[in-house]
Amino acid sequence: NEIKIFSPATVANVACGFDVLGFCLDNVGDDMVIRKVDKKGIKITHIEGFDLPYEAEQNVAGVSALAMYNALDIDFGFEIEIYKNIKPGSGIGSSAASAVGSVFGMNELLGRPFNKTQLTEFAIKGEALASKCEHADNLAPAMFGGFTLVKGIKPLQILEIPSPDDLFATIIHPQIEIKTSESRAVLPKEVSLSDAIAQWSNVGSLIHALHTSDYDLIKDSLHDVIIEPHRSKLIPHYQEVKNSMLNAGALGACISGSGPSIFSLCKGEETAKKVAEAIKNVYNSTGIDFDIHVSKIN
Ligand code: HSE
């Protein structure tokens, strides 16, 4: 009647794939407990880690749980405990982890009446509470694992993309908060044709590179000519961190989701750890607190 789950952090956009690409980290995430109870409805009974609302309608995990609950015809309810490790506004899918965790856990307790795409549909409602818009590029990798591409939202279509075994991510999370809604507000409504061409060429080649484990092509494809120029201004020491990642051997580096986290992709754990050391050296002198994660893409 109770399930404990780990709901992973994710990196959305992956440089060129704004709102469509994402990948899942295997060692950073939230813990949640979902419990089936006699009393009808959804109740959040415990939150640890960060100060978040207990009212289900105001809480990302609660909203996605309610979306699923309302699609069911059952005479019992669920309690949710949230042990949050991913700081809200960090750029590594904090809201997506909460939104996915509640519906995933409920589905398990119910004997899996819904598939993962249907669960992601419910989770979109929770994500929308946090970011004020419906997008699934953090939800999809949190739900499916690995690399994903959100082919479309209406109807929701998620593609699972294979990735090379030796692909690691190094992520720095400066302890400042950037709200997704705010970092979406700085983006242009229109883009030039030449920028669009560069961007879709990189998305296409990145997908091909992931399918063929072509690390050189991954390196060649991890560029963002549309979003990064606008958002990087919001992130302290962005260019310095990015340069240090590339100099330490990363295949590419860019803003993680809507920031302020910055991610790099690396071939092999050893390089990923070297990249971690390099960014530590940059950030140690800034006076801004930070976390660094080295994770396999899983
Ligand atoms: N694709 C989203 C964005 C991810 O960059 O705004 C952040 O939730």
Side-chain angles (χ1 to χ4, degrees):
N1 272 1
E2 179 176 303
I3 186 167
K4 186 175 177 197
I5 55 167
F6 171 75
S7 201
T10 47
V11 169
N13 301 336
V14 199
C16 48
F18 180 69
D19 271 5
V20 298
L21 281 179
F23 63 79
C24 182
L25 305 181
D26 79 347
N27 57 4
V28 191
D30 296 341
D31 295 307
M32 294 173 79
V33 174
I34 317 292
R35 192 174 303 112
K36 205 170 137 190
V37 290
D38 289 341
K39 193 170 184 310
K40 283 179 138 191
I42 300 292
K43 189 166 181 197
I44 297 171
T45 54
H46 187 85
I47 301 176
E48 232 173 89
F50 295 96
D51 193 15
L52 294 167
Y54 273 82
E55 301 77 37
E57 295 79 5
Q58 304 298 321
N59 181 296
V60 168
V63 169
S64 62
L66 280 168
M68 175 168 165
Y69 190 76
N70 293 334
L72 293 159
D73 185 18
I74 49 178
D75 61 357
F76 51 87
F78 293 93
E79 287 179 357
I80 302 173
E81 295 177 12
I82 305 170
Y83 300 85
K84 216 142 178 61
N85 299 311
I86 317 170
K87 188 179 159 80
S90 58
I92 50 171
S94 179
S95 50
S98 296
V100 162
S102 58
V103 294
F104 183 86
M106 285 163 62
N107 198 50
E108 291 296 304
L109 293 174
L110 290 167
R112 301 190 186 167
F114 297 110
N115 65 32
K116 286 182 176 175
T117 302
Q118 290 170 316
L119 291 178
T120 308
E121 296 257 22
F122 299 129
I124 286 179
K125 304 295 174 211
E127 177 74 293
L129 177 77
S131 60
K132 317 270 181 282
C133 93
E134 298 199 342
H135 61 93
D137 52 339
N138 285 108
L139 299 169
M143 182 66 79
F144 287 80
F147 247 96
T148 53
L149 185 143
V150 180
K151 167 83 177 70
I153 291 274
K154 286 185 172 67
L156 182 62
Q157 197 180 352
I158 294 163
L159 309 181
E160 291 180 81
I161 313 292
S163 56
D165 279 346
D166 221 14
L167 196 60
F168 281 76
T170 303
I171 294 151
I172 175 164
H173 168 212
Q175 302 280 311
I176 55 164
E177 182 179 344
I178 297 184
K179 288 204 169 75
T180 297
S181 51
E182 286 163 14
S183 67
R184 290 183 86 87
V186 303
L187 300 178
K189 296 282 167 282
E190 287 171 12
V191 300
S192 73
L193 185 59
S194 58
D195 282 352
I197 292 168
Q199 200 86 347
W200 62 54
S201 138
N202 282 326
V203 176
S205 63
L206 179 57
I207 297 298
H208 181 72
L210 291 168
H211 271 275
T212 54
S213 297
D214 184 337
Y215 288 98
D216 289 335
L217 190 58
I218 293 176
K219 185 172 179 173
D220 250 4
S221 312
L222 282 173
H223 303 290
D224 170 13
V225 298
I226 294 179
I227 309 297
E228 187 189 42
H230 301 280
R231 283 184 170 171
S232 56
K233 294 177 194 147
L234 306 175
I235 303 172
H237 311 283
Y238 178 76
Q239 201 54 47
E240 232 178 306
V241 171
K242 179 170 171 170
N243 290 344
S244 75
M245 287 171 148
L246 298 176
N247 290 338
L251 299 167
C254 203
I255 303 166
S256 173
S258 54
S261 288
I262 305 166
F263 82 96
S264 66
L265 284 179
C266 302
K267 181 180 181 185
E269 190 169 17
E270 209 179 303
T271 308
K273 285 183 175 162
K274 263 190 217 152
V275 169
E277 282 311 308
I279 37 184
K280 244 181 238 164
N281 290 338
V282 173
Y283 242 83
N284 268 338
S285 58
T286 63
I288 302 172
D289 287 339
F290 61 93
D291 288 330
I292 292 181
H293 309 291
V294 173
S295 175
K296 195 169 159 47
I297 315 274
N298 201 356

Coordinates of all heavy atoms in Angstrom, one line a residue, residues 10-15 18 90-93 137-138 180 183 227 231 235 254-263:
T10 N 16.9 16.0 -14.3 CA 17.1 15.9 -15.7 C 17.7 17.2 -16.3 O 17.6 18.3 -15.7 CB 15.7 15.7 -16.4 OG1 14.8 16.6 -15.8 CG2 15.2 14.3 -16.1
V11 N 18.3 17.0 -17.5 CA 18.8 18.2 -18.2 C 17.9 18.4 -19.4 O 17.9 17.5 -20.3 CB 20.3 18.0 -18.6 CG1 20.7 19.1 -19.5 CG2 21.1 18.0 -17.3
A12 N 17.2 19.5 -19.5 CA 16.4 19.8 -20.7 C 17.1 20.6 -21.7 O 18.1 21.3 -21.4 CB 15.1 20.4 -20.3
N13 N 16.7 20.6 -22.9 CA 17.2 21.4 -24.1 C 18.4 20.8 -24.7 O 18.5 20.7 -25.9 CB 17.4 22.9 -23.7 CG 16.2 23.6 -23.2 OD1 15.1 23.2 -23.5 ND2 16.4 24.6 -22.5
V14 N 19.4 20.4 -23.9 CA 20.6 19.8 -24.4 C 21.2 20.6 -25.5 O 21.4 20.1 -26.6 CB 20.4 18.3 -24.8 CG1 21.8 17.6 -24.8 CG2 19.5 17.6 -23.8
A15 N 21.4 21.9 -25.3 CA 22.0 22.9 -26.2 C 21.0 23.2 -27.4 O 20.2 24.1 -27.3 CB 23.3 22.5 -26.7
F18 N 15.8 23.0 -27.7 CA 14.9 23.8 -26.8 C 13.5 23.2 -26.8 O 12.9 23.0 -27.9 CB 14.9 25.2 -27.3 CG 14.0 26.1 -26.4 CD1 14.3 26.4 -25.1 CD2 12.8 26.6 -26.9 CE1 13.5 27.2 -24.3 CE2 11.9 27.4 -26.1 CZ 12.3 27.7 -24.8
S90 N 16.6 25.4 -10.1 CA 18.0 25.1 -10.3 C 18.4 24.8 -11.8 O 19.5 24.8 -12.2 CB 18.4 23.9 -9.5 OG 17.6 22.8 -9.8
G91 N 17.4 24.5 -12.6 CA 17.6 24.2 -14.0 C 17.9 22.7 -14.3 O 18.3 22.3 -15.3
I92 N 17.7 21.9 -13.2 CA 17.8 20.4 -13.5 C 16.5 19.7 -13.2 O 16.5 18.6 -12.6 CB 19.1 19.8 -12.7 CG1 19.1 20.2 -11.3 CG2 20.4 20.2 -13.4 CD1 20.1 19.4 -10.4
G93 N 15.4 20.3 -13.5 CA 14.2 19.6 -13.5 C 13.6 19.3 -12.2 O 13.0 18.2 -11.9
D137 N 10.0 18.5 -21.8 CA 11.4 18.1 -22.1 C 12.1 17.7 -20.8 O 13.1 17.0 -20.9 CB 12.1 19.1 -22.9 CG 12.1 20.5 -22.4 OD1 11.2 20.8 -21.6 OD2 13.0 21.3 -22.8
N138 N 11.7 18.1 -19.6 CA 12.2 17.5 -18.4 C 11.4 16.3 -18.0 O 12.0 15.3 -17.4 CB 12.2 18.5 -17.2 CG 13.3 19.6 -17.3 OD1 13.0 20.7 -17.6 ND2 14.5 19.2 -17.1
T180 N 11.9 29.5 -14.3 CA 11.7 29.1 -15.7 C 10.9 30.2 -16.4 O 11.2 30.6 -17.5 CB 11.1 27.7 -15.8 OG1 12.0 26.8 -15.3 CG2 10.8 27.4 -17.3
S183 N 13.0 33.1 -17.2 CA 14.0 32.9 -18.3 C 13.4 32.6 -19.6 O 14.0 32.6 -20.7 CB 15.1 31.9 -17.9 OG 14.5 30.6 -17.8
I227 N 18.9 30.2 -28.1 CA 18.5 30.5 -26.7 C 19.7 31.0 -25.9 O 19.6 32.0 -25.1 CB 17.9 29.2 -26.1 CG1 16.9 28.5 -27.0 CG2 17.4 29.5 -24.7 CD1 15.6 29.4 -27.2
R231 N 19.9 33.8 -22.7 CA 19.8 33.4 -21.3 C 21.2 33.4 -20.6 O 21.2 33.5 -19.4 CB 19.3 31.9 -21.2 CG 17.8 31.9 -21.4 CD 17.3 30.5 -21.3 NE 15.9 30.4 -21.2 CZ 15.2 29.3 -21.2 NH1 15.8 28.1 -21.3 NH2 13.9 29.3 -21.1
I235 N 23.3 34.3 -16.1 CA 24.0 33.3 -15.3 C 25.4 33.8 -15.1 O 26.2 34.1 -16.0 CB 24.1 31.9 -16.1 CG1 22.7 31.4 -16.4 CG2 24.9 30.9 -15.2 CD1 22.7 30.2 -17.2
C254 N 26.6 23.8 -22.2 CA 25.5 24.8 -22.5 C 24.7 24.9 -21.2 O 25.0 24.3 -20.2 CB 24.6 24.3 -23.6 SG 23.8 25.7 -24.5
I255 N 23.7 25.8 -21.3 CA 22.8 26.0 -20.1 C 21.9 24.7 -19.9 O 21.4 24.2 -20.9 CB 21.9 27.2 -20.4 CG1 22.7 28.4 -20.7 CG2 20.9 27.4 -19.2 CD1 21.9 29.6 -21.3
S256 N 21.8 24.3 -18.7 CA 20.9 23.2 -18.4 C 19.5 23.7 -18.2 O 19.2 24.5 -17.3 CB 21.4 22.5 -17.1 OG 20.4 21.5 -16.7
G257 N 18.5 23.3 -19.0 CA 17.2 23.7 -18.9 C 17.1 25.3 -19.0 O 17.8 25.9 -19.9
S258 N 16.4 25.9 -18.1 CA 16.4 27.3 -18.1 C 17.4 28.0 -17.2 O 17.3 29.2 -16.9 CB 14.9 27.8 -17.7 OG 14.6 27.2 -16.5
G259 N 18.4 27.2 -16.8 CA 19.5 27.7 -15.9 C 19.0 27.9 -14.5 O 17.9 27.6 -14.2
P260 N 19.9 28.3 -13.6 CA 21.3 28.7 -13.8 C 22.3 27.5 -13.9 O 23.5 27.8 -14.2 CB 21.6 29.5 -12.5 CG 20.9 28.7 -11.5 CD 19.6 28.3 -12.1
S261 N 21.9 26.3 -13.8 CA 22.8 25.2 -13.9 C 23.4 25.2 -15.4 O 22.8 25.5 -16.3 CB 22.2 23.8 -13.7 OG 21.9 23.7 -12.3
I262 N 24.7 24.7 -15.4 CA 25.4 24.6 -16.7 C 25.8 23.1 -16.8 O 26.3 22.6 -15.9 CB 26.6 25.5 -16.7 CG1 26.2 27.0 -16.4 CG2 27.3 25.4 -18.1 CD1 27.4 27.9 -16.1
F263 N 25.5 22.5 -18.0 CA 25.9 21.1 -18.1 C 27.0 20.9 -19.2 O 27.1 21.8 -20.1 CB 24.7 20.2 -18.5 CG 24.4 20.3 -20.0 CD1 24.9 19.3 -20.8 CD2 23.7 21.3 -20.5 CE1 24.6 19.3 -22.2 CE2 23.4 21.4 -21.9 CZ 23.9 20.4 -22.7

